[in-house]
Amino acid sequence: EEKMVESGGGLVQPGGSLRLTCAASGFTFRSYWMTWVRQAPGKGLEWVANIKQDGSEKYFADSVKGRFSISRDNTQNSVFLQMDSLRADDTATYYCARFWFGGRERWFDPWGPGTLVLVSS
Amino acid sequence: DIQLTQSPSFMSASVGDRVTITCRASQVIRNYLAWYQQKPGKAPELLIYSASSLQSGVPSRFSGSGSGTDFTLTISSLQPEDFATYYCQQVNSYLAITFGQGTRLEIK
């Protein structure tokens, strides 16, 4: 079964940092782009960041550029989201997903169950 | 950035109804559009990719159409498990990916 499981969420104070981990299994991880998407409570989906198979290309939403970074370890089948200078509006459930990108492929599947990040004093 | 506008944002319907949700892009995105279903407390699940291709395992009552800037998701005969929120997503450029604001579908 192809799956992702996120971890590392929790309560953090404004200005603090948090590192999320997404562990993938059931597919050849190193062959795929990966992505992070977030959802604030009661709100819609917001794309956060993408990373290429070998980590050589990374893209970020304007709302997190300069504060968040993305990386991956293909030996551990994991992708990471380092979140610094956290703000209250970063409060959300963070999902990782496999990003099908190449030729005519442009979608996210499957998604992990998500991990909740709460930024509050 | 490319904006996606879904309509309606909310709708109520009955089991057995035919339902159509539309998604309009602010620029041409060819057929690089996907649809997702999200139930409360759960992660989104892929329904349709490349505007009209049905994801494996998704019931055939779901269908997608459109190209360019205008797209639709149709559920031919609503089932109780279909009441959820639906999102469209464009990936015309991996430099910026956007979702529609969502359409919440509730039981009438």
Side-chain angles (χ1 to χ4, degrees):
Chain A
E1 180 191 6
E2 300 173 338
K3 61 186 290 187
M4 263 74 65
V5 179
E6 304 91 341
S7 61
L11 175 63
V12 60
Q13 292 188 337
S17 297
L18 213 54
R19 187 188 195 221
L20 305 183
T21 297
C22 170
S25 60
F27 63 96
T28 307
F29 179 78
R30 65 181 181 274
S31 297
Y32 293 90
W33 286 71
M34 295 295 293
T35 194
W36 286 94
V37 175
R38 69 184 181 182
Q39 185 171 37
K43 302 298 184 181
L45 302 171
E46 180 188 18
W47 168 72
V48 174
N50 291 333
I51 185 168
K52 194 176 179 180
Q53 291 93 329
D54 62 359
S56 62
E57 294 183 37
K58 304 172 185 181
Y59 300 90
F60 298 91
D62 287 343
S63 58
V64 305
K65 206 169 290 184
R67 301 187 300 120
F68 289 14
S69 61
I70 188 172
S71 61
R72 63 191 294 161
D73 183 340
N74 289 341
T75 66
Q76 295 191 18
N77 292 345
S78 294
V79 59
F80 310 99
L81 187 68
Q82 177 66 40
M83 304 185 295
D84 298 321
S85 302
L86 282 162
R87 312 185 302 221
D89 62 0
D90 294 316
T91 293
T93 295
Y94 285 74
Y95 299 100
C96 76
R98 180 173 58 180
F99 178 20
W100 291 77
F101 179 68
R104 297 185 177 185
E105 297 172 332
R106 314 244 172 151
W107 57 87
F108 297 163
D109 179 72
W111 299 55
T115 187
L116 178 63
V117 172
L118 178 59
V119 184
S120 175
S121 55
Chain B
D1 289 0
I2 297 174
Q3 308 300 320
L4 294 178
T5 303
Q6 289 181 231
S7 60
S9 295
F10 172 85
M11 67 184 304
S12 61
S14 302
V15 172
D17 284 353
R18 179 182 180 89
V19 166
T20 297
I21 299 169
T22 65
C23 179
R24 174 162 289 176
S26 59
Q27 302 174 36
V28 171
I29 58 172
R30 300 175 66 179
N31 70 335
Y32 296 142
L33 189 99
W35 289 95
Y36 300 86
Q37 178 192 66
Q38 186 179 34
K39 296 182 179 179
K42 300 294 186 182
E45 293 185 353
L46 178 68
L47 296 175
I48 301 286
Y49 60 91
S50 299
S52 60
S53 296
L54 190 67
Q55 171 68 345
S56 176
V58 174
S60 60
R61 62 181 178 272
F62 290 92
S63 64
S65 64
S67 185
T69 61
D70 294 314
F71 302 86
T72 60
L73 172 70
T74 299
I75 309 172
S76 60
S77 179
L78 270 175
Q79 298 303 300
E81 61 267 30
D82 300 337
F83 292 94
T85 300
Y86 294 85
Y87 294 93
C88 58
Q89 175 209 36
Q90 69 83 23
V91 194
N92 191 46
S93 165
Y94 53 77
L95 298 178
I97 294 167
T98 50
F99 291 89
Q101 81 277 16
T103 295
R104 196 169 102 216
L105 176 56
E106 293 196 343
I107 301 174
K108 184 181 287 184

